[in-house]
Amino acid sequence: MSASASTSDAPAGHPAVTPPGDQVVIDDHGPVERRFAGLDRRTIAPALFVLALAAVMTLALPAIDDAIDYEVEVAAGETIELTAVSFEAAVGWGRLAVDDVAAEGGSAVIERAAVADSTTRFAVTTTTFAGTASELLASAPQLDPELDERRGFHVTSQPASYTTTDGVTGVIERFTGAATEGFVVAFVDDAVGVLVVVSAAENQLREHTSEINDMLDSISFHGPADEEQS
Amino acid sequence: MNDVIAVSTETKAARLRAIDRSGWGTSFRLFQPDNLAFWVYALLVGRGAVGLAQDWSRDASDHGATFVVAVLYFAAYSVPFWLYIRHRNRYGSEPAKLRAAGFVWGGTAAAFGLSIHANEALSSIYLKTFGFAWSTDWSPGASAPIVEEVAKAAGIVLLVAMASRLVRTAWDGAVIGACIGLGFQIIENITYVMNNASGRAAVGSEAINQMILRSFTGIASHVVYSAIMGMGVIWLWGRPDEPRRVGRGLFYVVGAVVLHAGWNTMKALGERSDVWDAVAPLVVSVASLTFLFAGLRVAAGREREWMRALLEPELERGTITSEELDALAGPRRARRTFAKAAEHRRERRTRRRVFDAVTDLAGGIAHARGEDTPAVEQARAELARVRSSGPDTN
């Protein structure tokens, strides 16, 4: 019945609750003998524990990440050159080891370069191609293993047109994969097909939006068609 | 006038003990300048809120219509979750302000203050260490579940320190955890939708598709994992009325992470097995819900004891029946039996109303600290009115 009836961790010397019949309000002043620098000592340990966790998550992990280098890291101003196309990769991204491969039949030469950061991958594949950009887009799964149906690849949007800063128009389509999402852009320029595949783990794509946009903008086509554009 | 009704001193004393131990009827004050946990809470919520505001201002300016639709849609989507959590919080321990503080932590500090930074760093470490293929498949399962569950658990720890008289049992931990998970889920849903409306890849109507997809996938997601984590944290930490149980606590803490990882690696595993691909969403969801309800069943024991002690004097004075007491202070089965005991639909409806009125009376008694205040008398009168309305009245 007494107002001083308190829970075991209620501050000693302070009424834990207001008298019966009234709305009970927490007494947020800790007892004087349990204070440190004006703070309730019992709250210090859990607060510091969380602060330590926050430090690990927002300072230590990024620092460890910064301390680990990619095997081959893109340097400032570095341009990645393929035979028919080049692009300026984002600084600090890692070059992925991608072998130049010859397609079955040997008539079409496939060349690929890819960079990645975190779970985001930006890959450019070129091949000799006589069709249209839409036809190249349709055959994209044969050109990039990321787009293999066995990896859960399926298109999630209608194709739309996309024009580079060079003025070359291609076709863009979104997709989701087994554990990824992204988009693929197909261009055909002077019988050379260029496929740009951007993929990332779910929710990671937007984290790199500006770098991806810059890389797309930096794509430069070589050859006669490029000269026509200029 | 009810003073003439004899209620034994023992049951009255037991009632007061239950009120003291449970924290029922205690209100929550957010601003606690003497509490370091409050300052850490404010710091990290502030940091998360800044990140969220930056993200949302970009979304609002780039894709205003989609952004508004997404926010309104998921605000409405959160309502049934919020109502369900309030319903499960029938013992009345966690006031709305405390639950709201959990929701805010989940949507700001946990999502944008902590997880987003740690997730990106950890994913990048995986890429550099294990390569792109491994990272693509397994990083979602090996990064987000650890980072996000820890970020949400941090909020549970702070809120326990800020509401030590209110968060007394693993049940309370589940309620707080669910609110944090709901905040996280809603903000993550909006972010995912806006991801699909942003950038050069914003073709088609992917934002709408995402909205629908996230509505389904969110049902047994963060709310459930965080409620499980909440129970685990309380068992691991121990409270005055919830003795520390390290093994059980670890089981539930790790369980929350593993279930989350199970969901996040579903697609990567599905790629290796068509059968798993087909059944995984159902299996992981059922496993998560089973885990949660099994924990709640264990966690409810103490709360039921307190509820029985709280209402025992009402049984003595004849305000409630033993059947009603058993229903409110008993397991789910007892409540179902109570509701279905009636033969007719109208009578069943009356019983449900009686159950609600007894619940209200219990809350009133806790707020009045066992005294017969006008509010308590009114709750008793309301109970009598509902009961007397009987099956034949409208």
Side-chain angles (χ1 to χ4, degrees), chain B residues 283-307:
Chain B
V283 169
V284 176
S285 297
V286 169
S288 301
L289 291 170
T290 305
F291 209 94
L292 171 67
F293 287 113
L296 286 176
R297 182 177 289 191
V298 178
R302 183 79 65 199
E303 306 272 348
R304 288 197 201 117
E305 284 173 23
W306 286 333
M307 183 58 83

mmCIF file of all heavy atoms in Angstrom, chain B residues 283-307:
data_model
loop_
_atom_site.group_PDB
_atom_site.id
_atom_site.type_symbol
_atom_site.label_atom_id
_atom_site.label_comp_id
_atom_site.label_asym_id
_atom_site.label_seq_id
_atom_site.Cartn_x
_atom_site.Cartn_y
_atom_site.Cartn_z
ATOM 1 N N VAL B 283 9.263 -21.829 -45.768
ATOM 2 C CA VAL B 283 9.987 -22.526 -44.694
ATOM 3 C C VAL B 283 10.607 -21.520 -43.717
ATOM 4 O O VAL B 283 10.454 -21.634 -42.498
ATOM 5 C CB VAL B 283 11.085 -23.441 -45.290
ATOM 6 C CG1 VAL B 283 12.025 -23.951 -44.195
ATOM 7 C CG2 VAL B 283 10.451 -24.613 -46.016
ATOM 8 N N VAL B 284 11.287 -20.503 -44.280
ATOM 9 C CA VAL B 284 11.955 -19.528 -43.404
ATOM 10 C C VAL B 284 10.926 -18.724 -42.608
ATOM 11 O O VAL B 284 11.108 -18.464 -41.415
ATOM 12 C CB VAL B 284 12.876 -18.588 -44.231
ATOM 13 C CG1 VAL B 284 13.494 -17.522 -43.341
ATOM 14 C CG2 VAL B 284 13.973 -19.380 -44.910
ATOM 15 N N SER B 285 9.815 -18.353 -43.256
ATOM 16 C CA SER B 285 8.788 -17.583 -42.555
ATOM 17 C C SER B 285 8.162 -18.397 -41.430
ATOM 18 O O SER B 285 7.985 -17.910 -40.303
ATOM 19 C CB SER B 285 7.688 -17.143 -43.530
ATOM 20 O OG SER B 285 8.237 -16.289 -44.497
ATOM 21 N N VAL B 286 7.821 -19.649 -41.739
ATOM 22 C CA VAL B 286 7.199 -20.507 -40.710
ATOM 23 C C VAL B 286 8.177 -20.745 -39.564
ATOM 24 O O VAL B 286 7.802 -20.695 -38.384
ATOM 25 C CB VAL B 286 6.717 -21.839 -41.338
ATOM 26 C CG1 VAL B 286 6.320 -22.834 -40.261
ATOM 27 C CG2 VAL B 286 5.545 -21.590 -42.281
ATOM 28 N N ALA B 287 9.447 -20.986 -39.919
ATOM 29 C CA ALA B 287 10.461 -21.214 -38.877
ATOM 30 C C ALA B 287 10.593 -19.982 -37.975
ATOM 31 O O ALA B 287 10.672 -20.101 -36.750
ATOM 32 C CB ALA B 287 11.810 -21.542 -39.520
ATOM 33 N N SER B 288 10.587 -18.800 -38.576
ATOM 34 C CA SER B 288 10.727 -17.563 -37.800
ATOM 35 C C SER B 288 9.544 -17.387 -36.852
ATOM 36 O O SER B 288 9.714 -17.070 -35.662
ATOM 37 C CB SER B 288 10.819 -16.350 -38.734
ATOM 38 O OG SER B 288 11.913 -16.477 -39.595
ATOM 39 N N LEU B 289 8.337 -17.591 -37.377
ATOM 40 C CA LEU B 289 7.144 -17.397 -36.542
ATOM 41 C C LEU B 289 7.072 -18.456 -35.442
ATOM 42 O O LEU B 289 6.685 -18.160 -34.302
ATOM 43 C CB LEU B 289 5.888 -17.429 -37.411
ATOM 44 C CG LEU B 289 5.736 -16.219 -38.353
ATOM 45 C CD1 LEU B 289 4.617 -16.431 -39.360
ATOM 46 C CD2 LEU B 289 5.467 -14.943 -37.546
ATOM 47 N N THR B 290 7.453 -19.690 -35.782
ATOM 48 C CA THR B 290 7.449 -20.764 -34.773
ATOM 49 C C THR B 290 8.427 -20.428 -33.649
ATOM 50 O O THR B 290 8.113 -20.575 -32.462
ATOM 51 C CB THR B 290 7.851 -22.105 -35.429
ATOM 52 O OG1 THR B 290 6.975 -22.344 -36.525
ATOM 53 C CG2 THR B 290 7.772 -23.246 -34.441
ATOM 54 N N PHE B 291 9.601 -19.976 -34.047
ATOM 55 C CA PHE B 291 10.634 -19.583 -33.073
ATOM 56 C C PHE B 291 10.104 -18.482 -32.159
ATOM 57 O O PHE B 291 10.254 -18.523 -30.933
ATOM 58 C CB PHE B 291 11.853 -19.067 -33.857
ATOM 59 C CG PHE B 291 13.163 -19.258 -33.172
ATOM 60 C CD1 PHE B 291 13.942 -20.368 -33.428
ATOM 61 C CD2 PHE B 291 13.636 -18.334 -32.262
ATOM 62 C CE1 PHE B 291 15.164 -20.548 -32.800
ATOM 63 C CE2 PHE B 291 14.848 -18.507 -31.626
ATOM 64 C CZ PHE B 291 15.616 -19.607 -31.900
ATOM 65 N N LEU B 292 9.461 -17.501 -32.777
ATOM 66 C CA LEU B 292 8.936 -16.362 -32.006
ATOM 67 C C LEU B 292 7.881 -16.811 -31.003
ATOM 68 O O LEU B 292 7.957 -16.497 -29.804
ATOM 69 C CB LEU B 292 8.338 -15.330 -32.967
ATOM 70 C CG LEU B 292 7.562 -14.190 -32.302
ATOM 71 C CD1 LEU B 292 8.487 -13.301 -31.487
ATOM 72 C CD2 LEU B 292 6.814 -13.358 -33.343
ATOM 73 N N PHE B 293 6.895 -17.573 -31.481
ATOM 74 C CA PHE B 293 5.786 -17.926 -30.586
ATOM 75 C C PHE B 293 6.215 -18.921 -29.512
ATOM 76 O O PHE B 293 5.678 -18.902 -28.403
ATOM 77 C CB PHE B 293 4.586 -18.422 -31.402
ATOM 78 C CG PHE B 293 3.900 -17.293 -32.133
ATOM 79 C CD1 PHE B 293 3.909 -17.211 -33.508
ATOM 80 C CD2 PHE B 293 3.288 -16.271 -31.414
ATOM 81 C CE1 PHE B 293 3.304 -16.152 -34.175
ATOM 82 C CE2 PHE B 293 2.676 -15.203 -32.067
ATOM 83 C CZ PHE B 293 2.682 -15.134 -33.444
ATOM 84 N N ALA B 294 7.199 -19.760 -29.846
ATOM 85 C CA ALA B 294 7.728 -20.655 -28.814
ATOM 86 C C ALA B 294 8.380 -19.833 -27.705
ATOM 87 O O ALA B 294 8.197 -20.111 -26.510
ATOM 88 C CB ALA B 294 8.747 -21.618 -29.426
ATOM 89 N N GLY B 295 9.112 -18.792 -28.087
ATOM 90 C CA GLY B 295 9.745 -17.919 -27.101
ATOM 91 C C GLY B 295 8.716 -17.161 -26.282
ATOM 92 O O GLY B 295 8.832 -17.054 -25.058
ATOM 93 N N LEU B 296 7.697 -16.658 -26.963
ATOM 94 C CA LEU B 296 6.664 -15.885 -26.249
ATOM 95 C C LEU B 296 5.940 -16.749 -25.218
ATOM 96 O O LEU B 296 5.574 -16.281 -24.147
ATOM 97 C CB LEU B 296 5.657 -15.306 -27.249
ATOM 98 C CG LEU B 296 6.140 -14.114 -28.084
ATOM 99 C CD1 LEU B 296 5.070 -13.718 -29.098
ATOM 100 C CD2 LEU B 296 6.476 -12.921 -27.190
ATOM 101 N N ARG B 297 5.751 -18.014 -25.575
ATOM 102 C CA ARG B 297 5.063 -18.910 -24.641
ATOM 103 C C ARG B 297 5.863 -19.037 -23.340
ATOM 104 O O ARG B 297 5.297 -18.998 -22.248
ATOM 105 C CB ARG B 297 4.890 -20.287 -25.301
ATOM 106 C CG ARG B 297 4.139 -21.263 -24.436
ATOM 107 C CD ARG B 297 3.923 -22.579 -25.131
ATOM 108 N NE ARG B 297 2.947 -22.477 -26.209
ATOM 109 C CZ ARG B 297 2.428 -23.510 -26.840
ATOM 110 N NH1 ARG B 297 2.792 -24.721 -26.521
ATOM 111 N NH2 ARG B 297 1.550 -23.346 -27.802
ATOM 112 N N VAL B 298 7.177 -19.151 -23.494
ATOM 113 C CA VAL B 298 8.038 -19.234 -22.308
ATOM 114 C C VAL B 298 8.041 -17.885 -21.572
ATOM 115 O O VAL B 298 7.942 -17.816 -20.348
ATOM 116 C CB VAL B 298 9.488 -19.612 -22.717
ATOM 117 C CG1 VAL B 298 10.396 -19.647 -21.495
ATOM 118 C CG2 VAL B 298 9.503 -20.942 -23.436
ATOM 119 N N ALA B 299 8.126 -16.815 -22.357
ATOM 120 C CA ALA B 299 8.267 -15.484 -21.768
ATOM 121 C C ALA B 299 7.019 -15.028 -21.038
ATOM 122 O O ALA B 299 7.084 -14.161 -20.158
ATOM 123 C CB ALA B 299 8.619 -14.480 -22.869
ATOM 124 N N ALA B 300 5.867 -15.592 -21.396
ATOM 125 C CA ALA B 300 4.609 -15.102 -20.834
ATOM 126 C C ALA B 300 4.364 -15.563 -19.397
ATOM 127 O O ALA B 300 3.505 -15.008 -18.707
ATOM 128 C CB ALA B 300 3.445 -15.551 -21.713
ATOM 129 N N GLY B 301 5.123 -16.555 -18.952
ATOM 130 C CA GLY B 301 4.856 -17.146 -17.639
ATOM 131 C C GLY B 301 4.789 -16.131 -16.509
ATOM 132 O O GLY B 301 3.817 -16.085 -15.739
ATOM 133 N N ARG B 302 5.803 -15.296 -16.400
ATOM 134 C CA ARG B 302 5.861 -14.316 -15.317
ATOM 135 C C ARG B 302 4.716 -13.313 -15.427
ATOM 136 O O ARG B 302 4.093 -12.925 -14.435
ATOM 137 C CB ARG B 302 7.199 -13.586 -15.373
ATOM 138 C CG ARG B 302 7.414 -12.594 -14.261
ATOM 139 C CD ARG B 302 7.818 -13.248 -12.971
ATOM 140 N NE ARG B 302 9.118 -13.893 -13.106
ATOM 141 C CZ ARG B 302 9.571 -14.838 -12.283
ATOM 142 N NH1 ARG B 302 8.823 -15.251 -11.293
ATOM 143 N NH2 ARG B 302 10.761 -15.375 -12.466
ATOM 144 N N GLU B 303 4.441 -12.879 -16.647
ATOM 145 C CA GLU B 303 3.383 -11.887 -16.865
ATOM 146 C C GLU B 303 2.038 -12.466 -16.414
ATOM 147 O O GLU B 303 1.212 -11.761 -15.832
ATOM 148 C CB GLU B 303 3.315 -11.510 -18.352
ATOM 149 C CG GLU B 303 4.620 -11.036 -18.946
ATOM 150 C CD GLU B 303 4.827 -9.540 -18.792
ATOM 151 O OE1 GLU B 303 3.878 -8.846 -18.429
ATOM 152 O OE2 GLU B 303 5.966 -9.085 -19.035
ATOM 153 N N ARG B 304 1.822 -13.751 -16.666
ATOM 154 C CA ARG B 304 0.554 -14.374 -16.272
ATOM 155 C C ARG B 304 0.427 -14.451 -14.758
ATOM 156 O O ARG B 304 -0.651 -14.241 -14.204
ATOM 157 C CB ARG B 304 0.463 -15.780 -16.876
ATOM 158 C CG ARG B 304 0.239 -15.762 -18.350
ATOM 159 C CD ARG B 304 -0.251 -17.129 -18.805
ATOM 160 N NE ARG B 304 0.012 -17.257 -20.230
ATOM 161 C CZ ARG B 304 0.814 -18.151 -20.767
ATOM 162 N NH1 ARG B 304 1.428 -19.030 -20.016
ATOM 163 N NH2 ARG B 304 0.985 -18.191 -22.064
ATOM 164 N N GLU B 305 1.550 -14.756 -14.114
ATOM 165 C CA GLU B 305 1.529 -14.798 -12.636
ATOM 166 C C GLU B 305 1.113 -13.438 -12.085
ATOM 167 O O GLU B 305 0.299 -13.341 -11.173
ATOM 168 C CB GLU B 305 2.927 -15.132 -12.100
ATOM 169 C CG GLU B 305 3.332 -16.565 -12.232
ATOM 170 C CD GLU B 305 4.798 -16.757 -11.842
ATOM 171 O OE1 GLU B 305 5.329 -15.918 -11.086
ATOM 172 O OE2 GLU B 305 5.406 -17.737 -12.317
ATOM 173 N N TRP B 306 1.696 -12.388 -12.653
ATOM 174 C CA TRP B 306 1.377 -11.036 -12.185
ATOM 175 C C TRP B 306 -0.086 -10.691 -12.465
ATOM 176 O O TRP B 306 -0.748 -10.061 -11.651
ATOM 177 C CB TRP B 306 2.299 -10.013 -12.865
ATOM 178 C CG TRP B 306 3.701 -10.021 -12.339
ATOM 179 C CD1 TRP B 306 4.111 -10.396 -11.086
ATOM 180 C CD2 TRP B 306 4.891 -9.646 -13.039
ATOM 181 N NE1 TRP B 306 5.469 -10.275 -10.969
ATOM 182 C CE2 TRP B 306 5.977 -9.804 -12.152
ATOM 183 C CE3 TRP B 306 5.140 -9.182 -14.322
ATOM 184 C CZ2 TRP B 306 7.292 -9.517 -12.509
ATOM 185 C CZ3 TRP B 306 6.446 -8.892 -14.685
ATOM 186 C CH2 TRP B 306 7.517 -9.059 -13.787
ATOM 187 N N MET B 307 -0.547 -11.081 -13.647
ATOM 188 C CA MET B 307 -1.935 -10.781 -13.992
ATOM 189 C C MET B 307 -2.891 -11.481 -13.037
ATOM 190 O O MET B 307 -3.888 -10.913 -12.598
ATOM 191 C CB MET B 307 -2.197 -11.221 -15.448
ATOM 192 C CG MET B 307 -3.593 -10.909 -15.955
ATOM 193 S SD MET B 307 -3.982 -9.152 -15.881
ATOM 194 C CE MET B 307 -3.222 -8.568 -17.402
#
